[in-house]
């Protein structure tokens, strides 16, 4: 089946492009927020943070924050550790989806204007590397909503950390446990070429002949 870039194929290409733009803008804001989270954890001023952390990607910023918290044993003493772990886990899912969308684009089977998916089929050199997941304007809007919520949560956490209000932090509040709207990435499965093909069973070793 031939595939084509979905933007020219779906029924409402404008809605998809607008949703993609909203998500990219929200994610850019998240990158700024993550810089602030890292700066607060490192206890560095703005000038020093700009010199050290300039250009750091979200994934690397998360790794750095986690190392700082581990070194300071905050993961053992801080009441917000579970909340931060939940946020960072979802940020990682959103970051992976964002990278796949921007690097691989959205594709659809030729003649199908109702569904689209992000797929690396053009660059996957074998079936084990082939991955894809569904994408649409509504899915992108779900991702954007999650990014905005995460930004609010992180800024709230930063305030607690900066002012050392760990005692006043209530991790049980519903604000920290609102369900994520985007769940597609968690359900993403590796796609295999020739799915109908049954896997070959490993050959059984030949029985040794008795002398």
């Amino acid at each position: 089946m031939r595939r084509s870039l979905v933007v020219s194929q779906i029924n409402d290409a404008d809605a998809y492009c607008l949703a993609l733009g909203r998500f990219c803008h929200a994610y850019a804001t998240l990158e700024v927020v993550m810089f602030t989270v890292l700066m607060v954890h490192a206890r560095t001023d703005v000038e020093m943070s700009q010199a050290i952390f300039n250009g750091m990607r979200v994934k690397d910023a998360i790794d750095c924050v986690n190392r700082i918290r581990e070194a300071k044993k905050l993961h053992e003493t801080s009441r917000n550790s579970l909340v931060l772990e939940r946020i960072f886990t979802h940020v990682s899912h959103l970051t992976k989806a964002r990278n796949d969308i921007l690097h691989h684009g959205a594709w659809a089977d030729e003649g199908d204007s109702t569904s689209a998916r992000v797929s690396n089929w053009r660059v996957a050199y074998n079936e084990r590397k082939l991955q894809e997941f569904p994408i649409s304007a509504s899915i992108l809007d779900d991702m954007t909503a999650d990014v905005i919520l995460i930004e609010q949560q992180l800024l709230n956490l930063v305030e607690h950390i900066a002012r050392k209000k760990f005692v006043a932090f209530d991790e049980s509040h519903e604000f920290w446990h609102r369900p994520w709207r985007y769940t597609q990435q968690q359900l993403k499965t590796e796609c295999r070429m020739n799915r109908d093909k049954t896997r070959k069973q490993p050959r059984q070793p030949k029985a040794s002949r008795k002398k």
Side-chain angles (χ1 to χ4, degrees):
M1 175 71 72
R2 294 182 61 188
R3 292 181 175 181
S4 59
L5 279 168
V6 72
V7 173
S8 61
Q9 296 292 325
I10 58 176
N11 292 329
D12 196 347
D14 289 343
Y16 177 85
C17 291
L18 285 172
L20 179 58
R22 286 191 293 266
F23 171 66
C24 289
H25 176 75
Y27 190 90
T29 305
L30 175 61
E31 291 179 310
V32 176
V33 173
M34 278 303 307
F35 176 86
T36 305
V37 173
L38 179 54
M39 180 176 66
V40 169
H41 275 85
R43 300 291 181 182
T44 53
D45 57 31
V46 175
E47 290 78 10
M48 185 62 70
S49 299
Q50 290 172 336
I52 299 174
F53 306 131
N54 180 38
M56 183 173 288
R57 297 179 180 180
V58 168
K59 179 183 181 299
D60 297 326
I62 290 176
D63 291 341
C64 194
V65 169
N66 285 334
R67 288 197 300 272
I68 292 173
R69 293 180 68 85
E70 184 176 358
K72 294 182 177 181
K73 300 188 183 307
L74 293 178
H75 63 294
E76 299 174 358
T77 60
S78 174
R79 298 178 62 187
N80 58 31
S81 291
L82 291 178
V83 169
L84 197 59
E85 181 181 352
R86 178 177 182 267
I87 292 173
F88 281 174
T89 297
H90 198 54
V91 170
S92 297
H93 291 311
L94 291 167
T95 298
K96 179 64 167 64
R98 176 254 188 195
N99 292 342
D100 288 345
I101 293 169
L102 296 185
H103 293 303
H104 301 308
W107 298 79
D109 291 334
E110 194 169 284
D112 181 4
S113 61
T114 60
S115 63
R117 53 193 177 275
V118 176
S119 175
N120 68 343
W121 72 281
R122 278 288 191 188
V123 297
Y125 59 86
N126 64 41
E127 61 184 42
R128 292 183 181 276
K129 297 297 183 181
L130 181 62
Q131 294 184 342
E132 60 185 27
F133 58 93
I135 195 66
S136 66
S138 61
I139 291 175
L140 285 165
D141 285 339
D142 287 342
M143 296 166 70
T144 301
D146 285 353
V147 170
I148 292 173
L149 174 59
I150 286 171
E151 291 167 1
Q152 295 170 350
Q153 292 176 336
L154 287 176
L155 289 174
N156 198 302
L157 275 171
V158 163
E159 183 179 357
H160 282 280
I161 295 170
R163 299 183 182 182
K164 297 183 179 180
K165 291 183 177 179
F166 295 113
V167 177
F169 183 79
D170 182 11
E171 74 275 14
S172 65
H173 195 281
E174 65 87 21
F175 173 69
W176 304 110
H177 302 280
R178 292 177 185 173
W180 305 123
R181 286 175 51 175
Y182 175 67
T183 59
Q184 296 297 328
Q185 190 69 11
Q186 292 92 317
L187 298 176
K188 183 177 72 172
T189 57
E190 287 189 357
C191 299
R192 298 284 187 264
M193 297 177 182
N194 306 319
R195 293 181 182 181
D196 297 331
K197 225 185 233 186
T198 57
R199 292 184 176 178
K200 293 182 179 180
Q201 297 297 323
R203 293 181 179 179
Q204 296 297 326
K206 293 182 179 179
S208 60
R209 294 181 180 178
K210 293 183 179 180
K211 293 184 179 180

